[in-house]
Amino acid sequence: MSHGNDAAPALARTLGLRSVVLFGLAYMTPMIVLGTFGVVATTTGGAVPTAYLLALIAMLFTAQSYGRMAAAHPVAGSSYTYVRKALDSRLGFLVGWVTLLDYFFLPMVIWLIGGAYLQAQFPGVPFWVWIVGFIAVTTALNVRGIKTAERVNDLLMIFQVLVIALFVALSLRHVFDLGGAGALASTAPFGNGATTLAGISAGAAIAAYSFLGFDAVTTLTEETVDPKRTMPRAILLIALIGGAIFVTVAYATQLAHPGDHFDDAGSAAFEIAGTIGGDLFSSVFLAGLVVAQFASGIAAQASASRLLFAMGRDGSLPRRFFARVHPRYRTPALNVLLTGAIGLVALGLDVATSTSFINFGAFVAFTFVNVAVIATYLRMRREGDRPNPLTYLVAPSIGAAVDLYLLYNLDGTALTLGAVWLTLGLAYLAYLTRMFRNAPPGMAFHTAENGQATASV
């Protein structure tokens, strides 16, 4: 593949607003609210919906910033690209490097959780079989193209939403049978005698992890039709729809199981599923959880491969490998395969360790995207423009403060692992830029009349 003055490799634009929103929701995994319900309930003293409301409000500030930057820079790369363009290319590289923790390890965690569910149901099947199976199928779908993955994703999302709807309906029926219609409208799930501000804040920090995904769809910008209009709308819709699902499901579940006492907080949803629907629904619920993990794995792997593509095309990673596009499927196939291969590391890790990597990378990226919007505001003011200070200054400032708070409250393991990874990135950047004297390699982007960006090396 030539990398002289030729046009840079490009991805096919096939995704509309609906497709992007569904990919973001799949990445977010709506059923995660049930998977973490027991942990959040224990932390908040039985006020899970309040924690999700607070997390939603906090995440909307950052989602707004992602929308602004996606409209300003409609190319793949997400936080990596936005920080490069708005702040500094070296800082952008480091943000992209740290974000790789999020993008590499989220598929791994997804496959780990899915494998754990299946092994619990089928203990005779070795754990590695489930992991390899997840990776093989999602990799094949993503290599064939985003439209193929989209069609499969649609079916999986429909099933996942049906299971969630059934869980809510059975929860409300359970409450109705016990207390009548009046019990369905209660403020108890939002607060009780055991609820404290500190507990709600800690619960919101946990609940915020459920929102990871609204940002990831920006890596699909170059496969989206009319990205300047579609991306900002999609990002906010994903955060709003996901938040509405989380709050609704948390409310119904907290009604069905008041308080914060469970046999096992980590598997509280299974306990509640058996209470409201019996053994049959417990099996359906398990199927829904596995399907949710599979759908999320497709979206997460697709996003990771696009971030690697953007960094490879810029030259921040070796172009010959990372910027290569499959001649038939027009996908970054080598990056998809690499992400799948790295997923095999899941065979030697647990969910807690992998999640520590994700949280560090995500909140660093969120913080710097908000800072990038503030920098854009200052630049526009210097150039004589008058951008809205509420959306370009106040909102991203709040978003950055919240993200730094969440980053600060990560456990020691997350901060240590993140610092080690960041140090490796600094060493590679020093090599790439001759001890920071030069800027990292980059692409020149040109916006056509139709608002779509093209790139050249």
Side-chain angles (χ1 to χ4, degrees):
M1 181 180 295
S2 174
H3 295 291
N5 295 321
D6 297 335
L11 305 173
R13 294 189 183 274
T14 58
L15 301 177
L17 178 63
R18 170 184 168 277
S19 299
V20 176
V21 170
L22 284 177
F23 255 87
L25 290 174
Y27 195 113
M28 191 179 283
T29 316
M31 285 191 71
I32 195 65
V33 62
L34 294 172
T36 61
F37 180 84
V39 176
V40 179
T42 302
T43 305
T44 60
V48 177
T50 305
Y52 272 99
L53 273 175
L54 183 58
L56 171 60
I57 293 170
M59 289 298 102
L60 283 176
F61 288 107
T62 296
Q64 189 271 152
S65 292
Y66 269 88
R68 291 288 175 187
M69 298 310 292
H73 307 290
V75 292
S78 191
S79 56
Y80 159 74
T81 296
Y82 305 152
V83 176
R84 278 183 69 105
K85 299 296 181 182
L87 294 171
D88 179 80
S89 59
R90 289 169 287 264
L91 187 57
F93 170 86
L94 289 175
V95 170
W97 179 268
V98 173
T99 304
L100 284 175
L101 290 175
D102 181 4
Y103 284 76
F104 269 143
F105 279 84
L106 187 56
M108 190 182 301
V109 172
I110 290 165
W111 294 325
L112 271 171
I113 294 174
Y117 291 149
L118 288 168
Q119 189 182 43
Q121 185 70 11
F122 306 102
V125 179
F127 180 69
W128 68 266
V129 172
W130 301 120
I131 297 296
V132 172
F134 270 121
I135 293 173
V137 176
T138 56
T139 298
L141 290 171
N142 276 315
V143 166
R144 284 191 57 85
I146 205 73
K147 290 298 290 183
T148 300
E150 176 199 350
R151 286 190 288 269
V152 174
N153 197 46
D154 287 351
L155 295 174
L156 299 180
M157 277 298 295
I158 289 171
F159 181 65
Q160 183 180 170
V161 169
L162 288 175
V163 173
I164 293 173
L166 186 57
F167 195 101
V168 170
L170 289 173
S171 295
L172 295 178
R173 189 194 69 175
H174 177 75
V175 173
F176 179 83
D177 290 343
L178 291 178
L184 297 176
S186 172
T187 59
F190 293 100
N192 56 71
T195 302
T196 65
L197 179 59
I200 292 295
S201 298
I206 298 171
Y209 305 155
S210 301
F211 287 84
L212 301 183
F214 71 83
D215 59 310
V217 295
T218 57
T219 60
L220 303 178
T221 296
E222 291 183 52
E223 292 159 279
T224 299
V225 178
D226 193 10
K228 284 193 173 186
R229 283 173 51 86
T230 301
M231 263 311 156
R233 294 166 62 193
I235 292 167
L236 283 175
L237 281 173
I238 292 164
L240 284 169
I241 294 171
I245 292 173
F246 294 151
V247 173
T248 300
V249 175
Y251 175 79
T253 308
Q254 194 75 82
L255 273 179
H257 190 108
D260 58 351
H261 300 293
F262 307 96
D263 294 336
D264 180 5
S267 59
F270 286 108
E271 179 184 332
I272 299 171
T275 300
I276 64 176
D279 292 340
L280 176 60
F281 180 65
S282 294
S283 298
V284 173
F285 178 67
L286 174 65
L289 283 173
V290 173
V291 164
Q293 297 307 113
F294 186 67
S296 184
I298 293 174
Q301 188 183 30
S303 294
S305 66
R306 271 61 179 183
L307 175 61
L308 292 169
F309 171 78
M311 295 183 74
R313 189 176 57 184
D314 278 357
S316 294
L317 295 174
R319 287 194 183 106
R320 185 177 298 276
F321 184 96
F322 292 98
R324 187 176 294 275
V325 174
H326 193 284
R328 177 180 176 186
Y329 300 126
R330 308 305 300 168
T331 60
L334 292 179
N335 297 339
V336 173
L337 292 170
L338 176 63
T339 307
I342 291 174
L344 293 173
V345 176
L347 296 172
L349 294 177
D350 58 26
V351 174
T353 302
S354 302
T355 303
S356 295
F357 280 96
I358 293 170
N359 298 337
F360 185 90
F363 290 124
V364 167
F366 287 0
T367 300
F368 276 97
V369 169
N370 281 302
V371 173
V373 175
I374 296 171
T376 300
Y377 170 81
L378 297 175
R379 176 184 57 77
M380 293 172 72
R381 292 279 295 181
R382 287 194 302 269
E383 294 174 352
D385 293 332
R386 294 183 176 272
N388 187 335
L390 288 177
T391 55
Y392 277 90
L393 184 61
V394 176
S397 296
I398 296 172
V402 171
D403 295 330
L404 282 173
Y405 170 78
L406 294 173
L407 180 64
Y408 175 77
N409 282 279
L410 292 177
D411 61 40
T413 301
L415 295 175
T416 300
L417 293 175
V420 170
W421 181 255
L422 180 59
T423 300
L424 292 174
L426 276 169
Y428 179 54
L429 180 61
Y431 162 77
L432 199 63
T433 60
R434 297 179 182 269
M435 293 304 297
F436 310 109
R437 290 192 293 268
N438 302 327
M443 302 292 297
F445 292 94
H446 312 283
T447 303
E449 294 182 359
N450 60 3
Q452 297 181 356
T454 57
S456 58
V457 180

